[in-house]
Amino acid sequence: MRLKAEGLAKVYPLPSGGTVDILSDASLTVETGEIVAVQGASGSGKSTLLALLGLLDTPDAGEISIDDACVNRLPDNRRSDLRAKKLGFVFQNYSLLPHLSARENVELPLMHGPRMARSQARAAVLDCLDAVGLAGRADARPRQLSGGEQQRVAIARALVRGPAVVLADEPTGALDTGTADRVLDLLCSVATEAGAALLLVTHDPNVARRADRALFLRDGVLERTSCA
Amino acid sequence: MRLIRDALRDMRAHRIRTALGGLSLFLALLSLAGTTVVGTVVEDLFVAREEQLNGRVPTLATSLDIGSVGAVPLDELISTIAAEIRARDGEFAIIQEKTVQVSSTPGDELTREYVDGTVSLVAGRLDQVRRLPVLEGRWLDSDEHVYPGGIVVNMAGREVYGGVGDVVLLQGSPHATAYPQRIVGVISDGVGGAMIYQSLSSAVHFQPHVIDAVFSSELLVHLPGETVREVAGAIRDASAALGVPKDSVQPAVKGDLDSLLGNLAMMELGFGVVSGVMLLVAMLGLLNIGLATFRERARELSLRRALGATRLRIFGLVVAGTTLLSLGVAVIAIGVSYLAVAWLTPRLIDPASALAPPGYPMLAAVISLSASFGAGLIGGLAPAVAAARTSPTRLLRA
Ligand SMILES: Nc1ncnc2c1ncn2[C@@H]1O[C@H](COP(=O)(O)OP(=O)(O)OP(=O)(O)O)[C@@H](O)[C@H]1O
Ligand SMILES: [Mg+2]
């Protein structure tokens, strides 16, 4: 599996009129088993890039392909399906639904995209919760879980469908250093075990060090940095 | 299926939102179902009562003045009318009310006491023309069957004269011979006072002088499913067959059902308008709640989008939510109004009428369900469109 972006550009309108180029010519490739970090200053466009790569948004120029098939010009419902099937997301602020239990939160991606038998779905949910060490807390609500635990639930959710790529936007941004390290370890190991590529978007050099490869986003362009 | 499960889970999670939306819809539906129920039930009661007292719709009455019984023999008179009316699949009754002396202690001649009583002498099938539920025993024999006679009493009559099997003495006038008659049936006629029904031909057989020299009585004719005009025509034809000039006959509908139903319809219309407004308000409420809670939901919806939900799916989720809610509420409202009807109608019925209480009108259920479904669908539409537009990138900058 290869997720490839070439020459991505994204332009946002300014409130004052006029536009601002957040991305101008961003290119990268992520392959199975790789952990790639994208660093950059706040406001440099990291989240914007992640949204494009995650098929949440469409670029104004450039091309995104999965295994050499161009996907950024697909209609919305096809992109939704691709998200369900091939991509997993972990966001900075856990983004668990507060009214659902850990188990139901992990089950959410299975509610969309290709159908899965009930028993199979239940097993997949439990496996993933188990992988992040929370099998015992399956029925807890998010507010009953610590920040680190919530983020582990989010990781389980990202992996439940067996995605090809996990896209994580500041996955440890809201955690204290110790917890952040453990969660990051977990994210890297379960993603690798699940055979998914991992794209980490962060401004934290400590996070970037965990990656096989780190890129730096500056002035709308991705630059290579020295490997950690 | 996944969609419905998802929507139900979503509703359970947002109890307050669900309850608020449901409550106003519930009130509107209760009012709507109530209007329909009251409308049809009261109409049924009115009609039932009118049919019991004055004859099934349409029944027309006219006075039957035939110089004297001698002019046309009674059996011939009856059979002539019967031939005319039954040829049109109708029924008729000839009624003459008389005050008689009645004794319910026929055994002992010395202690025997008489009381004034009212006897309705009837020919034809009064039990077919009026709605007269038989409570005990049976209705009178047919006109050809004059012997051994027998009488039928109403509920008040049973209190005074006794029930089926008891024998009373009937004395047509102070000096006439008293004849024993056995009670063969008890009916409900909606009349509060004691009534005795006796076959006209049988009475004449036992006591030729029981009817006055001038035979003046009322003729009732009912033609099922026909118009008032048709019934009037049938009565004129029957009169003509008896030698009475057609234009001297003035058949008329007895009772006041038309104006009662007219008033009822006006009332129903008024309540219907109120219910409609309530329904509209409830729908706007759903719309408002849907749009107001949209901000709170936006995060959730954009997360669902990121996790692979298509726009259609999000749209469906929101619409399914309000639609399920509205259907659930409708079922509850129908249940409540059903219980209210089951509890109330037996209490609305005059015990003297002994009418069966009308059942729950299916129409009310159908109207409530479809109104609720419509309100839920329309009320959920705009929030669903807004929801479907939620961008999945929202999450990244929360
Ligand atoms: N929908 C939008 N409309 C206009 N401007 C936007 C929009 N989305 C993002 N921006 C702007 O684009 C720039 C990049 O945003 P982005 O969220 O990608 O940055 P980031 O690198 O993720 O920053 P951070 O590290 O703070 O999360 C910001 O200046 C932001 O204000
Ligand atoms: Mg960001």
mmCIF file of all heavy atoms in Angstrom, chain A residues 12 47 51 56 76 80 83 89 91 95 97 99-100 104 107 110-113 118 157 169, chain B residues 2 5-6 9 13-14 300 303-311 313 392-393 395-397:
data_model
loop_
_atom_site.group_PDB
_atom_site.id
_atom_site.type_symbol
_atom_site.label_atom_id
_atom_site.label_comp_id
_atom_site.label_asym_id
_atom_site.label_seq_id
_atom_site.Cartn_x
_atom_site.Cartn_y
_atom_site.Cartn_z
ATOM 1 N N TYR A 12 -6.663 29.362 1.270
ATOM 2 C CA TYR A 12 -7.816 29.775 2.073
ATOM 3 C C TYR A 12 -8.091 31.247 1.844
ATOM 4 O O TYR A 12 -7.152 32.044 1.723
ATOM 5 C CB TYR A 12 -7.553 29.570 3.564
ATOM 6 C CG TYR A 12 -7.647 28.127 4.010
ATOM 7 C CD1 TYR A 12 -6.619 27.532 4.719
ATOM 8 C CD2 TYR A 12 -8.795 27.384 3.736
ATOM 9 C CE1 TYR A 12 -6.711 26.215 5.140
ATOM 10 C CE2 TYR A 12 -8.896 26.069 4.151
ATOM 11 C CZ TYR A 12 -7.851 25.485 4.855
ATOM 12 O OH TYR A 12 -7.944 24.193 5.257
ATOM 13 N N SER A 47 -2.413 20.502 9.914
ATOM 14 C CA SER A 47 -3.754 19.904 9.955
ATOM 15 C C SER A 47 -4.409 19.957 8.584
ATOM 16 O O SER A 47 -5.142 19.048 8.192
ATOM 17 C CB SER A 47 -4.627 20.622 10.983
ATOM 18 O OG SER A 47 -4.094 20.443 12.278
ATOM 19 N N ALA A 51 -5.799 16.807 6.580
ATOM 20 C CA ALA A 51 -7.169 16.728 6.067
ATOM 21 C C ALA A 51 -7.165 16.305 4.599
ATOM 22 O O ALA A 51 -8.010 15.521 4.164
ATOM 23 C CB ALA A 51 -7.874 18.072 6.239
ATOM 24 N N LEU A 56 -10.411 14.184 3.843
ATOM 25 C CA LEU A 56 -11.469 14.937 4.506
ATOM 26 C C LEU A 56 -11.745 16.219 3.742
ATOM 27 O O LEU A 56 -12.790 16.836 3.889
ATOM 28 C CB LEU A 56 -11.055 15.286 5.942
ATOM 29 C CG LEU A 56 -10.726 14.086 6.850
ATOM 30 C CD1 LEU A 56 -10.132 14.572 8.170
ATOM 31 C CD2 LEU A 56 -11.976 13.265 7.096
ATOM 32 N N ASP A 76 -17.787 12.567 -3.331
ATOM 33 C CA ASP A 76 -17.741 12.573 -1.873
ATOM 34 C C ASP A 76 -18.033 11.215 -1.250
ATOM 35 O O ASP A 76 -17.366 10.787 -0.311
ATOM 36 C CB ASP A 76 -18.746 13.611 -1.352
ATOM 37 C CG ASP A 76 -18.627 13.773 0.138
ATOM 38 O OD1 ASP A 76 -17.711 14.504 0.562
ATOM 39 O OD2 ASP A 76 -19.411 13.152 0.866
ATOM 40 N N SER A 80 -15.741 8.967 1.183
ATOM 41 C CA SER A 80 -16.197 8.519 2.504
ATOM 42 C C SER A 80 -15.942 7.026 2.663
ATOM 43 O O SER A 80 -15.464 6.567 3.705
ATOM 44 C CB SER A 80 -17.691 8.794 2.675
ATOM 45 O OG SER A 80 -17.943 10.172 2.648
ATOM 46 N N ARG A 83 -12.308 6.383 3.214
ATOM 47 C CA ARG A 83 -11.941 6.712 4.599
ATOM 48 C C ARG A 83 -12.300 5.555 5.517
ATOM 49 O O ARG A 83 -11.520 5.142 6.357
ATOM 50 C CB ARG A 83 -12.700 7.967 5.062
ATOM 51 C CG ARG A 83 -12.119 9.264 4.590
ATOM 52 C CD ARG A 83 -12.574 10.420 5.465
ATOM 53 N NE ARG A 83 -14.006 10.654 5.452
ATOM 54 C CZ ARG A 83 -14.650 11.374 4.559
ATOM 55 N NH1 ARG A 83 -13.983 11.921 3.561
ATOM 56 N NH2 ARG A 83 -15.942 11.551 4.645
ATOM 57 N N PHE A 89 -8.133 7.490 11.932
ATOM 58 C CA PHE A 89 -7.757 8.818 12.421
ATOM 59 C C PHE A 89 -7.608 8.838 13.929
ATOM 60 O O PHE A 89 -8.373 8.203 14.654
ATOM 61 C CB PHE A 89 -8.840 9.844 12.047
ATOM 62 C CG PHE A 89 -8.948 10.089 10.575
ATOM 63 C CD1 PHE A 89 -9.801 9.314 9.783
ATOM 64 C CD2 PHE A 89 -8.205 11.096 9.974
ATOM 65 C CE1 PHE A 89 -9.901 9.542 8.429
ATOM 66 C CE2 PHE A 89 -8.307 11.328 8.604
ATOM 67 C CZ PHE A 89 -9.154 10.544 7.836
ATOM 68 N N PHE A 91 -7.210 12.039 16.674
ATOM 69 C CA PHE A 91 -7.139 13.496 16.761
ATOM 70 C C PHE A 91 -6.594 13.929 18.105
ATOM 71 O O PHE A 91 -6.526 13.155 19.057
ATOM 72 C CB PHE A 91 -8.529 14.092 16.535
ATOM 73 C CG PHE A 91 -9.122 13.705 15.213
ATOM 74 C CD1 PHE A 91 -10.119 12.744 15.139
ATOM 75 C CD2 PHE A 91 -8.662 14.281 14.038
ATOM 76 C CE1 PHE A 91 -10.665 12.379 13.920
ATOM 77 C CE2 PHE A 91 -9.198 13.916 12.817
ATOM 78 C CZ PHE A 91 -10.199 12.959 12.761
ATOM 79 N N SER A 95 -11.732 13.215 20.817
ATOM 80 C CA SER A 95 -12.912 13.150 19.960
ATOM 81 C C SER A 95 -13.664 11.832 20.095
ATOM 82 O O SER A 95 -14.115 11.251 19.123
ATOM 83 C CB SER A 95 -12.553 13.398 18.498
ATOM 84 O OG SER A 95 -11.573 12.485 18.090
ATOM 85 N N LEU A 97 -17.152 10.198 21.406
ATOM 86 C CA LEU A 97 -18.496 10.718 21.663
ATOM 87 C C LEU A 97 -18.816 10.455 23.131
ATOM 88 O O LEU A 97 -18.767 9.314 23.586
ATOM 89 C CB LEU A 97 -19.521 10.049 20.751
ATOM 90 C CG LEU A 97 -19.304 10.337 19.267
ATOM 91 C CD1 LEU A 97 -20.453 9.777 18.442
ATOM 92 C CD2 LEU A 97 -19.162 11.831 19.026
ATOM 93 N N HIS A 99 -21.410 10.328 24.916
ATOM 94 C CA HIS A 99 -22.566 9.546 25.356
ATOM 95 C C HIS A 99 -22.439 8.063 25.006
ATOM 96 O O HIS A 99 -23.315 7.286 25.329
ATOM 97 C CB HIS A 99 -23.842 10.120 24.757
ATOM 98 C CG HIS A 99 -23.770 10.283 23.274
ATOM 99 N ND1 HIS A 99 -23.347 11.454 22.680
ATOM 100 C CD2 HIS A 99 -24.035 9.439 22.280
ATOM 101 C CE1 HIS A 99 -23.368 11.309 21.384
ATOM 102 N NE2 HIS A 99 -23.775 10.100 21.099
ATOM 103 N N LEU A 100 -21.355 7.726 24.327
ATOM 104 C CA LEU A 100 -21.178 6.315 23.987
ATOM 105 C C LEU A 100 -20.097 5.703 24.877
ATOM 106 O O LEU A 100 -19.160 6.380 25.281
ATOM 107 C CB LEU A 100 -20.773 6.166 22.517
ATOM 108 C CG LEU A 100 -21.756 6.689 21.470
ATOM 109 C CD1 LEU A 100 -21.242 6.368 20.073
ATOM 110 C CD2 LEU A 100 -23.140 6.107 21.667
ATOM 111 N N GLU A 104 -18.695 1.246 22.274
ATOM 112 C CA GLU A 104 -19.510 1.836 21.205
ATOM 113 C C GLU A 104 -18.720 2.844 20.392
ATOM 114 O O GLU A 104 -18.910 2.968 19.180
ATOM 115 C CB GLU A 104 -20.758 2.492 21.804
ATOM 116 C CG GLU A 104 -21.754 1.483 22.340
ATOM 117 C CD GLU A 104 -22.839 2.113 23.202
ATOM 118 O OE1 GLU A 104 -22.581 3.162 23.829
ATOM 119 O OE2 GLU A 104 -23.927 1.546 23.251
ATOM 120 N N GLU A 107 -16.709 1.021 18.063
ATOM 121 C CA GLU A 107 -17.570 0.395 17.050
ATOM 122 C C GLU A 107 -17.990 1.382 15.961
ATOM 123 O O GLU A 107 -18.419 0.971 14.874
ATOM 124 C CB GLU A 107 -18.812 -0.163 17.755
ATOM 125 C CG GLU A 107 -19.525 -1.248 16.977
ATOM 126 C CD GLU A 107 -20.861 -1.601 17.605
ATOM 127 O OE1 GLU A 107 -21.146 -1.128 18.725
ATOM 128 O OE2 GLU A 107 -21.624 -2.326 16.957
ATOM 129 N N LEU A 110 -17.402 0.973 12.295
ATOM 130 C CA LEU A 110 -18.041 -0.209 11.704
ATOM 131 C C LEU A 110 -19.487 0.071 11.318
ATOM 132 O O LEU A 110 -20.118 -0.709 10.608
ATOM 133 C CB LEU A 110 -17.987 -1.383 12.690
ATOM 134 C CG LEU A 110 -16.586 -1.744 13.164
ATOM 135 C CD1 LEU A 110 -16.633 -2.928 14.104
ATOM 136 C CD2 LEU A 110 -15.684 -2.043 11.975
ATOM 137 N N MET A 111 -20.014 1.204 11.839
ATOM 138 C CA MET A 111 -21.375 1.593 11.480
ATOM 139 C C MET A 111 -21.425 2.154 10.066
ATOM 140 O O MET A 111 -22.486 2.361 9.513
ATOM 141 C CB MET A 111 -21.881 2.671 12.445
ATOM 142 C CG MET A 111 -22.015 2.202 13.862
ATOM 143 S SD MET A 111 -23.427 1.132 14.013
ATOM 144 C CE MET A 111 -24.075 1.645 15.560
ATOM 145 N N HIS A 112 -20.260 2.464 9.525
ATOM 146 C CA HIS A 112 -20.221 3.054 8.192
ATOM 147 C C HIS A 112 -19.376 2.167 7.295
ATOM 148 O O HIS A 112 -18.681 1.283 7.771
ATOM 149 C CB HIS A 112 -19.642 4.465 8.268
ATOM 150 C CG HIS A 112 -20.294 5.299 9.320
ATOM 151 N ND1 HIS A 112 -21.611 5.670 9.241
ATOM 152 C CD2 HIS A 112 -19.837 5.790 10.502
ATOM 153 C CE1 HIS A 112 -21.937 6.361 10.315
ATOM 154 N NE2 HIS A 112 -20.883 6.449 11.091
ATOM 155 N N GLY A 113 -19.473 2.473 6.006
ATOM 156 C CA GLY A 113 -18.676 1.702 5.064
ATOM 157 C C GLY A 113 -19.166 0.271 4.965
ATOM 158 O O GLY A 113 -20.285 -0.036 5.343
ATOM 159 N N ARG A 118 -22.274 -9.002 12.815
ATOM 160 C CA ARG A 118 -22.309 -8.545 14.203
ATOM 161 C C ARG A 118 -21.234 -9.190 15.068
ATOM 162 O O ARG A 118 -20.524 -8.511 15.794
ATOM 163 C CB ARG A 118 -23.659 -8.885 14.838
ATOM 164 C CG ARG A 118 -24.748 -7.917 14.547
ATOM 165 C CD ARG A 118 -24.784 -6.797 15.559
ATOM 166 N NE ARG A 118 -26.080 -6.170 15.446
ATOM 167 C CZ ARG A 118 -26.966 -6.101 16.421
ATOM 168 N NH1 ARG A 118 -26.667 -6.592 17.589
ATOM 169 N NH2 ARG A 118 -28.134 -5.548 16.229
ATOM 170 N N ARG A 157 -10.100 2.758 18.077
ATOM 171 C CA ARG A 157 -11.094 3.077 17.070
ATOM 172 C C ARG A 157 -10.443 3.257 15.697
ATOM 173 O O ARG A 157 -10.992 2.822 14.675
ATOM 174 C CB ARG A 157 -11.840 4.357 17.457
ATOM 175 C CG ARG A 157 -12.938 4.706 16.477
ATOM 176 C CD ARG A 157 -13.688 5.935 16.904
ATOM 177 N NE ARG A 157 -12.830 7.103 16.923
ATOM 178 C CZ ARG A 157 -13.141 8.240 17.523
ATOM 179 N NH1 ARG A 157 -14.275 8.361 18.170
ATOM 180 N NH2 ARG A 157 -12.318 9.255 17.483
ATOM 181 N N ASP A 169 -3.244 13.486 14.227
ATOM 182 C CA ASP A 169 -2.983 14.919 14.318
ATOM 183 C C ASP A 169 -2.728 15.280 15.771
ATOM 184 O O ASP A 169 -3.641 15.263 16.586
ATOM 185 C CB ASP A 169 -4.190 15.698 13.775
ATOM 186 C CG ASP A 169 -3.859 17.180 13.593
ATOM 187 O OD1 ASP A 169 -2.703 17.563 13.873
ATOM 188 O OD2 ASP A 169 -4.756 17.935 13.171
ATOM 189 N N ARG B 2 -28.517 -0.862 10.426
ATOM 190 C CA ARG B 2 -27.477 -0.174 11.188
ATOM 191 C C ARG B 2 -27.915 1.245 11.463
ATOM 192 O O ARG B 2 -27.705 1.781 12.544
ATOM 193 C CB ARG B 2 -26.166 -0.152 10.375
ATOM 194 C CG ARG B 2 -25.361 -1.422 10.502
ATOM 195 C CD ARG B 2 -23.955 -1.226 9.983
ATOM 196 N NE ARG B 2 -23.920 -0.752 8.602
ATOM 197 C CZ ARG B 2 -22.806 -0.590 7.893
ATOM 198 N NH1 ARG B 2 -21.655 -0.877 8.436
ATOM 199 N NH2 ARG B 2 -22.833 -0.155 6.657
ATOM 200 N N ARG B 5 -30.441 1.344 14.274
ATOM 201 C CA ARG B 5 -29.773 1.066 15.544
ATOM 202 C C ARG B 5 -28.996 2.297 16.006
ATOM 203 O O ARG B 5 -29.063 2.715 17.158
ATOM 204 C CB ARG B 5 -28.816 -0.118 15.364
ATOM 205 C CG ARG B 5 -28.370 -0.794 16.625
ATOM 206 C CD ARG B 5 -28.122 -2.274 16.347
ATOM 207 N NE ARG B 5 -27.052 -2.451 15.374
ATOM 208 C CZ ARG B 5 -25.755 -2.574 15.722
ATOM 209 N NH1 ARG B 5 -25.402 -2.529 16.971
ATOM 210 N NH2 ARG B 5 -24.835 -2.753 14.793
ATOM 211 N N ASP B 6 -28.307 2.875 15.021
ATOM 212 C CA ASP B 6 -27.501 4.050 15.293
ATOM 213 C C ASP B 6 -28.391 5.199 15.767
ATOM 214 O O ASP B 6 -28.096 5.879 16.748
ATOM 215 C CB ASP B 6 -26.776 4.440 13.995
ATOM 216 C CG ASP B 6 -25.434 5.073 14.267
ATOM 217 O OD1 ASP B 6 -25.084 5.171 15.449
ATOM 218 O OD2 ASP B 6 -24.761 5.461 13.301
ATOM 219 N N ARG B 9 -29.720 4.616 19.268
ATOM 220 C CA ARG B 9 -28.659 4.833 20.239
ATOM 221 C C ARG B 9 -28.455 6.330 20.440
ATOM 222 O O ARG B 9 -28.305 6.812 21.560
ATOM 223 C CB ARG B 9 -27.380 4.192 19.709
ATOM 224 C CG ARG B 9 -26.233 4.223 20.668
ATOM 225 C CD ARG B 9 -25.003 3.681 19.997
ATOM 226 N NE ARG B 9 -24.948 2.239 20.047
ATOM 227 C CZ ARG B 9 -23.973 1.532 19.467
ATOM 228 N NH1 ARG B 9 -23.029 2.151 18.793
ATOM 229 N NH2 ARG B 9 -23.962 0.227 19.542
ATOM 230 N N ALA B 13 -29.034 8.543 23.797
ATOM 231 C CA ALA B 13 -27.942 9.334 24.343
ATOM 232 C C ALA B 13 -28.379 10.768 24.618
ATOM 233 O O ALA B 13 -27.910 11.400 25.543
ATOM 234 C CB ALA B 13 -26.770 9.314 23.381
ATOM 235 N N HIS B 14 -29.289 11.282 23.813
ATOM 236 C CA HIS B 14 -29.723 12.669 23.998
ATOM 237 C C HIS B 14 -31.153 12.677 24.499
ATOM 238 O O HIS B 14 -32.072 13.075 23.792
ATOM 239 C CB HIS B 14 -29.596 13.442 22.687
ATOM 240 C CG HIS B 14 -28.202 13.462 22.173
ATOM 241 N ND1 HIS B 14 -27.762 12.625 21.176
ATOM 242 C CD2 HIS B 14 -27.127 14.196 22.545
ATOM 243 C CE1 HIS B 14 -26.479 12.849 20.961
ATOM 244 N NE2 HIS B 14 -26.068 13.791 21.774
ATOM 245 N N GLU B 300 -19.785 15.852 16.634
ATOM 246 C CA GLU B 300 -20.105 14.435 16.491
ATOM 247 C C GLU B 300 -20.296 14.068 15.017
ATOM 248 O O GLU B 300 -19.768 13.056 14.537
ATOM 249 C CB GLU B 300 -21.391 14.132 17.260
ATOM 250 C CG GLU B 300 -21.895 12.735 16.987
ATOM 251 C CD GLU B 300 -23.251 12.481 17.602
ATOM 252 O OE1 GLU B 300 -23.628 13.217 18.534
ATOM 253 O OE2 GLU B 300 -23.928 11.550 17.129
ATOM 254 N N LEU B 303 -17.108 14.049 13.137
ATOM 255 C CA LEU B 303 -16.343 12.838 13.473
ATOM 256 C C LEU B 303 -16.881 11.645 12.683
ATOM 257 O O LEU B 303 -16.118 10.860 12.102
ATOM 258 C CB LEU B 303 -16.454 12.552 14.971
ATOM 259 C CG LEU B 303 -15.755 11.251 15.377
ATOM 260 C CD1 LEU B 303 -14.247 11.407 15.297
ATOM 261 C CD2 LEU B 303 -16.169 10.815 16.770
ATOM 262 N N ARG B 304 -18.204 11.543 12.643
ATOM 263 C CA ARG B 304 -18.789 10.432 11.896
ATOM 264 C C ARG B 304 -18.392 10.496 10.419
ATOM 265 O O ARG B 304 -18.131 9.474 9.795
ATOM 266 C CB ARG B 304 -20.305 10.455 12.008
ATOM 267 C CG ARG B 304 -20.817 9.952 13.345
ATOM 268 C CD ARG B 304 -22.309 10.121 13.414
ATOM 269 N NE ARG B 304 -22.856 9.663 14.681
ATOM 270 C CZ ARG B 304 -23.195 8.409 14.941
ATOM 271 N NH1 ARG B 304 -23.035 7.485 14.018
ATOM 272 N NH2 ARG B 304 -23.675 8.072 16.111
ATOM 273 N N ARG B 305 -18.371 11.744 9.909
ATOM 274 C CA ARG B 305 -17.955 11.909 8.515
ATOM 275 C C ARG B 305 -16.521 11.417 8.345
ATOM 276 O O ARG B 305 -16.215 10.686 7.413
ATOM 277 C CB ARG B 305 -18.053 13.380 8.109
ATOM 278 C CG ARG B 305 -19.476 13.870 7.953
ATOM 279 C CD ARG B 305 -20.076 13.466 6.631
ATOM 280 N NE ARG B 305 -19.603 14.312 5.552
ATOM 281 C CZ ARG B 305 -19.213 13.866 4.368
ATOM 282 N NH1 ARG B 305 -19.209 12.577 4.124
ATOM 283 N NH2 ARG B 305 -18.829 14.695 3.435
ATOM 284 N N ALA B 306 -15.646 11.820 9.268
ATOM 285 C CA ALA B 306 -14.244 11.413 9.173
ATOM 286 C C ALA B 306 -14.127 9.893 9.232
ATOM 287 O O ALA B 306 -13.305 9.297 8.551
ATOM 288 C CB ALA B 306 -13.434 12.054 10.290
ATOM 289 N N LEU B 307 -15.001 9.266 10.023
ATOM 290 C CA LEU B 307 -14.918 7.816 10.185
ATOM 291 C C LEU B 307 -15.620 7.068 9.051
ATOM 292 O O LEU B 307 -15.790 5.860 9.124
ATOM 293 C CB LEU B 307 -15.514 7.397 11.524
ATOM 294 C CG LEU B 307 -14.807 7.961 12.762
ATOM 295 C CD1 LEU B 307 -15.426 7.447 14.031
ATOM 296 C CD2 LEU B 307 -13.317 7.642 12.718
ATOM 297 N N GLY B 308 -16.040 7.807 8.037
ATOM 298 C CA GLY B 308 -16.515 7.127 6.842
ATOM 299 C C GLY B 308 -17.995 7.271 6.538
ATOM 300 O O GLY B 308 -18.482 6.687 5.578
ATOM 301 N N ALA B 309 -18.747 8.032 7.356
ATOM 302 C CA ALA B 309 -20.168 8.198 7.053
ATOM 303 C C ALA B 309 -20.320 9.100 5.840
ATOM 304 O O ALA B 309 -19.686 10.151 5.759
ATOM 305 C CB ALA B 309 -20.893 8.805 8.247
ATOM 306 N N THR B 310 -21.154 8.683 4.887
ATOM 307 C CA THR B 310 -21.414 9.537 3.735
ATOM 308 C C THR B 310 -22.399 10.628 4.151
ATOM 309 O O THR B 310 -23.030 10.546 5.193
ATOM 310 C CB THR B 310 -22.033 8.734 2.587
ATOM 311 O OG1 THR B 310 -23.229 8.141 3.072
ATOM 312 C CG2 THR B 310 -21.107 7.632 2.114
ATOM 313 N N ARG B 311 -22.525 11.638 3.291
ATOM 314 C CA ARG B 311 -23.498 12.704 3.570
ATOM 315 C C ARG B 311 -24.885 12.123 3.690
ATOM 316 O O ARG B 311 -25.659 12.483 4.569
ATOM 317 C CB ARG B 311 -23.508 13.725 2.432
ATOM 318 C CG ARG B 311 -22.296 14.573 2.406
ATOM 319 C CD ARG B 311 -22.588 15.868 1.651
ATOM 320 N NE ARG B 311 -21.386 16.669 1.652
ATOM 321 C CZ ARG B 311 -20.665 16.905 0.561
ATOM 322 N NH1 ARG B 311 -21.054 16.452 -0.596
ATOM 323 N NH2 ARG B 311 -19.572 17.624 0.645
ATOM 324 N N ARG B 313 -25.745 9.267 4.597
ATOM 325 C CA ARG B 313 -25.879 8.537 5.853
ATOM 326 C C ARG B 313 -26.171 9.484 7.023
ATOM 327 O O ARG B 313 -27.018 9.212 7.871
ATOM 328 C CB ARG B 313 -24.583 7.767 6.097
ATOM 329 C CG ARG B 313 -24.513 7.047 7.396
ATOM 330 C CD ARG B 313 -25.638 6.053 7.495
ATOM 331 N NE ARG B 313 -25.711 5.537 8.840
ATOM 332 C CZ ARG B 313 -25.326 4.313 9.186
ATOM 333 N NH1 ARG B 313 -24.899 3.497 8.270
ATOM 334 N NH2 ARG B 313 -25.404 3.932 10.425
ATOM 335 N N PRO B 392 -16.168 17.390 7.371
ATOM 336 C CA PRO B 392 -15.404 16.489 8.231
ATOM 337 C C PRO B 392 -14.111 17.122 8.738
ATOM 338 O O PRO B 392 -13.457 16.558 9.602
ATOM 339 C CB PRO B 392 -15.125 15.284 7.333
ATOM 340 C CG PRO B 392 -15.280 15.775 5.943
ATOM 341 C CD PRO B 392 -16.217 16.929 5.979
ATOM 342 N N THR B 393 -13.737 18.291 8.245
ATOM 343 C CA THR B 393 -12.477 18.881 8.695
ATOM 344 C C THR B 393 -12.658 19.687 9.973
ATOM 345 O O THR B 393 -11.683 20.103 10.597
ATOM 346 C CB THR B 393 -11.892 19.844 7.641
ATOM 347 O OG1 THR B 393 -12.832 20.887 7.412
ATOM 348 C CG2 THR B 393 -11.601 19.126 6.351
ATOM 349 N N LEU B 395 -13.308 18.852 12.843
ATOM 350 C CA LEU B 395 -12.692 18.207 13.996
ATOM 351 C C LEU B 395 -11.280 18.697 14.232
ATOM 352 O O LEU B 395 -10.796 18.729 15.343
ATOM 353 C CB LEU B 395 -12.581 16.718 13.715
ATOM 354 C CG LEU B 395 -13.675 15.831 14.226
ATOM 355 C CD1 LEU B 395 -13.232 14.419 13.984
ATOM 356 C CD2 LEU B 395 -13.878 16.076 15.699
ATOM 357 N N LEU B 396 -10.585 19.020 13.125
ATOM 358 C CA LEU B 396 -9.162 19.308 13.210
ATOM 359 C C LEU B 396 -8.909 20.649 13.861
ATOM 360 O O LEU B 396 -7.807 20.927 14.291
ATOM 361 C CB LEU B 396 -8.555 19.290 11.805
ATOM 362 C CG LEU B 396 -8.622 17.913 11.149
ATOM 363 C CD1 LEU B 396 -8.292 18.008 9.677
ATOM 364 C CD2 LEU B 396 -7.658 16.982 11.851
ATOM 365 N N ARG B 397 -9.923 21.476 13.895
ATOM 366 C CA ARG B 397 -9.690 22.763 14.568
ATOM 367 C C ARG B 397 -10.717 23.021 15.660
ATOM 368 O O ARG B 397 -11.236 24.098 15.791
ATOM 369 C CB ARG B 397 -9.622 23.901 13.572
ATOM 370 C CG ARG B 397 -10.634 23.852 12.463
ATOM 371 C CD ARG B 397 -10.244 24.788 11.332
ATOM 372 N NE ARG B 397 -9.949 24.065 10.111
ATOM 373 C CZ ARG B 397 -8.747 23.653 9.763
ATOM 374 N NH1 ARG B 397 -7.710 23.874 10.532
ATOM 375 N NH2 ARG B 397 -8.567 22.985 8.642
#
